[in-house]
């Protein structure tokens, strides 16, 4: 019924222009949707990569803290830490891993 009315109300050229404009609008909306979905997909992949990285960092932290030498160092305090450069490097690495874990967590929740 609406289609018959449109053919009686508008000229063929007007209908063609309407169809052309509508098709362009549809293409624009499809492109916008693709972009939106692509951006969200990219964000999801980044977040999942960060979560995997956080898991790796946490695994490394557990490995560091499970070492008997690290447990002894932590219980003995700063004195034991100063005696060994290797322990100092371990502590530096531990701090770095903790910072990475914290930064990754913040980045995941900011998205």
């Amino acid at each position: 019924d609406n289609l018959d009315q449109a053919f009686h109300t508008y000229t063929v050229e007007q209908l063609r222009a309407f169809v052309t404009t509508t098709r362009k609008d549809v293409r624009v909306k499809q492109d916008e949707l693709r972009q939106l979905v692509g951006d969200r997909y990219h964000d999801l992949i980044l977040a999942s990569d960060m979560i995997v990285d956080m898991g790796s960092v946490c695994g490394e932290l557990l490995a560091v803290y499970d070492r008997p030498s690290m447990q002894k160092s932590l219980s003995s305090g700063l004195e034991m830490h100063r005696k060994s450069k290797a322990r100092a490097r371990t502590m530096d690495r531990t701090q770095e891993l903790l910072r990475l874990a914290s930064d990754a967590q913040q980045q995941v929740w900011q998205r």
Side-chain angles (χ1 to χ4, degrees), residues 9-87:
T9 306
Y10 301 104
T11 66
V12 172
E13 290 305 316
Q14 288 173 321
L15 291 172
R16 283 186 181 152
F18 175 76
V19 168
T20 301
T21 302
T22 303
R23 284 184 180 158
K24 286 179 184 176
D25 291 344
V26 167
R27 275 189 236 117
V28 167
K29 293 295 180 189
Q30 284 176 333
D31 290 342
E32 288 174 1
L33 182 60
R34 278 190 199 110
Q35 183 67 37
L36 179 66
V37 170
D39 288 348
R40 294 295 165 217
Y41 179 75
H42 180 70
D43 290 345
L44 178 65
I45 295 298
L46 286 176
S48 67
D49 287 345
M50 282 189 251
I51 291 169
V52 169
D53 291 343
M54 285 173 58
S56 298
V57 167
C58 290
E60 287 185 48
L61 284 170
L62 287 174
V64 167
Y65 282 109
D66 282 341
R67 291 184 190 148
S69 63
M70 179 55 71
Q71 291 171 357
K72 186 176 180 182
S73 176
L74 289 173
S75 65
S76 298
L78 191 56
E79 178 96 16
M80 286 292 288
H81 175 68
R82 289 183 180 152
K83 290 181 180 179
S84 171
K85 287 184 181 181
R87 285 195 186 113

